[in-house]
Amino acid sequence: MAEIPPGEIVIIGGGIAGLSAAWYLLKSGYSVRIIEKAACGQGSSKLAAGMLAPIHELEFTELDILQAGLESIQLYSEWEKELGDIGLNRTGTLEIASGQEDVPYLKRQFEFQQQQGLEVHWLDQAALREKEPMLAGTVPCGIFAPGDIQVENRLLLEVLQQKIILMGGVIQDHTQFESWDEADQLVWVRNTDTTLQAIPASALVFAMGASPKPLDSHPEIIPVKGEMIALEKKDSFPLKHIIRIRNRRLGNAYVVPKRFSILAGSTSEHMGYMQENTFGGLFDILRKCYQVLPGLYELSIQEIYSGLRPASDDHLPQIREIGPGPVYCLNGLYRHGILLGPWAGKKLSEIVNTKLIDKKNFFPDI
């Protein structure tokens, strides 16, 4: 193993949060090492749908998340210039009422979006069908948000890893975090052959997502399971836009056309760390999506899978110093992981940089 440079910042977790933090810390001039218990970029970040949709994700109590999401989309444009092709698709997003009973709910959402000064367009049934012909004729109306876009998250994770290594960062897969020695500033990890290794570190960042808490000072993270279905993409079903389905009776869902597949999801289940797909979860997805996009019926299933969203008690990101010593937390991105990845990584880098350079505590307003 190469000699570890002094002052290295060690990041525990190789998902979108850890990779984003590593990117910005490397750009700030730090040496960075990512420790991942499995394979970097192969966890829940890989299993996301890649929607960058702060407008349609907007809830009535989440205006801070809206602002962070809008800032993060701008950072994605910067990433596209710096990283190259990451699969940004700017076609826009349609949020639709599943049936007539859902129209008042959708209208209320539209009015709230307008109050925030967001670019949204109300589409009646005829305009909606003209915009997206694959929708069922029974869908009564929808909202079009041209600013809600998407990224090929699996491609993004691959590109980020490649760029991090090119910039001198180290990615250490299949390595389990064991403990933090504050006095000597050592991170103890265990490799797959059970060998213990001590890594000198100037700072430690926990970006583990939905995993058992690593330190007593780390905030509690609740795993929220989301199931998804990947379908074969066919010319006979040329879906152009992300479709977000509002259904007050059955629950919400979405269908996302990717480069090589169409994703249908997703559930929101509190089942601990149980990640297996269930009959009920898949059935819920299928019936909600088929109701508004009947052309899905003919598509072959490529893959079914599920991921664990990392949620804090208040569903807000946890980006702060947690101690003891120079220890930081980047977690709790919940259902906004891919959307907020650049924003969260940049915020974490600012906190670490301020602490290590200026010797001040800096906690960003979230």
Side-chain angles (χ1 to χ4, degrees):
M1 180 183 297
E3 183 178 352
I4 300 168
E8 193 170 51
I9 296 177
V10 176
I11 299 172
I12 310 299
I16 185 63
L19 289 169
S20 299
W23 170 256
Y24 283 108
L25 287 167
L26 283 165
K27 289 183 67 175
S28 296
Y30 294 105
S31 298
V32 174
R33 177 178 297 256
I34 296 175
I35 301 296
E36 168 56 46
K37 66 179 179 181
C40 195
Q42 298 298 304
S44 293
S45 297
K46 177 184 177 180
L47 305 179
M51 291 181 288
L52 309 179
I55 296 174
H56 284 317
E57 288 279 355
L58 176 62
E59 299 290 345
F60 295 101
T61 59
E62 293 187 352
L63 292 179
D64 291 335
I65 295 295
L66 167 67
Q67 185 58 43
L70 293 173
E71 292 176 16
S72 203
I73 284 185
Q74 295 303 313
L75 293 174
Y76 264 107
S77 293
E78 294 179 11
W79 274 16
E80 188 177 39
K81 295 176 183 177
E82 295 174 318
L83 301 175
D85 181 20
I86 52 175
L88 280 184
N89 181 329
R90 296 179 172 86
T91 307
T93 297
L94 288 165
E95 186 169 18
I96 63 170
S98 187
Q100 286 293 338
E101 64 181 0
D102 304 304
V103 173
Y105 181 36
L106 196 67
K107 282 186 175 179
R108 183 177 177 224
Q109 183 74 4
F110 177 67
E111 291 168 358
F112 182 58
Q113 291 167 340
Q114 284 188 311
Q115 290 169 6
Q116 308 313 312
L118 302 171
E119 184 183 358
V120 287
H121 307 277
W122 183 264
L123 303 180
D124 61 17
Q125 192 172 53
L128 187 61
R129 285 279 291 169
E130 183 177 356
K131 189 78 172 174
E132 184 51 76
M134 293 297 101
L135 286 168
T138 56
V139 177
C141 56
I143 305 168
F144 178 57
D148 276 3
I149 60 176
Q150 64 162 305
V151 67
E152 292 286 342
N153 48 294
R154 297 189 179 194
L155 175 61
L156 170 66
L157 295 167
E158 293 175 4
V159 172
L160 270 175
Q161 291 179 72
Q162 294 167 3
K163 295 293 185 179
I164 286 168
I165 292 171
L166 285 173
M167 291 179 70
V170 178
I171 295 176
Q172 190 169 333
D173 288 333
H174 306 293
T175 304
Q176 179 68 51
F177 168 80
E178 289 288 328
S179 62
W180 161 251
D181 184 337
E182 178 192 2
D184 295 327
Q185 290 195 303
L186 294 175
V187 177
W188 287 92
V189 299
R190 191 178 297 276
N191 300 317
T192 51
D193 63 359
T194 72
T195 301
L196 272 174
Q197 176 189 3
I199 302 175
S202 61
L204 176 62
V205 178
F206 285 108
M208 300 172 68
S211 299
K213 66 177 184 178
L215 290 178
D216 289 340
S217 55
H218 192 283
E220 182 181 6
I221 297 297
I222 304 163
V224 182
K225 187 174 78 165
E227 300 189 51
M228 198 179 303
I229 304 167
L231 302 166
E232 180 185 4
K233 197 169 187 178
K234 290 186 177 180
D235 292 339
S236 59
F237 188 74
L239 185 68
K240 296 183 292 184
H241 302 89
I242 298 170
I243 306 297
R244 297 179 65 95
I245 303 163
R246 291 282 181 173
N247 190 316
R248 298 194 71 179
R249 182 171 57 89
L250 299 177
N252 301 332
Y254 56 73
V255 179
V256 184
K258 310 300 285 187
R259 284 184 176 178
F260 305 110
S261 63
I262 294 177
L263 302 182
S266 173
T267 61
S268 185
E269 306 164 87
H270 290 262
M271 303 181 70
Y273 290 95
M274 195 280 279
Q275 201 167 334
E276 291 79 11
N277 288 101
T278 63
F279 178 96
L282 298 177
F283 177 71
D284 282 346
I285 294 169
L286 291 168
R287 65 175 174 170
K288 286 182 283 191
C289 296
Y290 172 70
Q291 181 178 341
V292 300
L293 291 164
L296 294 172
Y297 190 90
E298 301 293 336
L299 303 185
S300 302
I301 293 178
Q302 290 181 335
E303 185 181 2
I304 59 173
Y305 51 87
S306 65
L308 298 177
R309 307 178 187 94
S312 61
D313 285 340
D314 58 7
H315 290 177
L316 290 177
Q318 303 295 307
I319 311 173
R320 63 178 187 267
E321 184 179 6
I322 58 173
V327 180
Y328 305 87
C329 170
L330 171 50
N331 213 331
L333 300 186
Y334 188 33
R335 66 182 191 273
H336 311 291
I338 298 298
L339 168 62
L340 295 183
W343 174 86
K346 187 175 182 180
K347 287 293 183 185
L348 188 282
S349 175
E350 291 171 355
I351 297 170
V352 172
N353 189 63
T354 305
K355 180 69 174 179
L356 295 185
I357 301 300
D358 297 332
K359 306 300 180 183
K360 298 176 182 176
N361 278 310
F362 172 64
F363 300 88
D365 293 329
I366 293 176

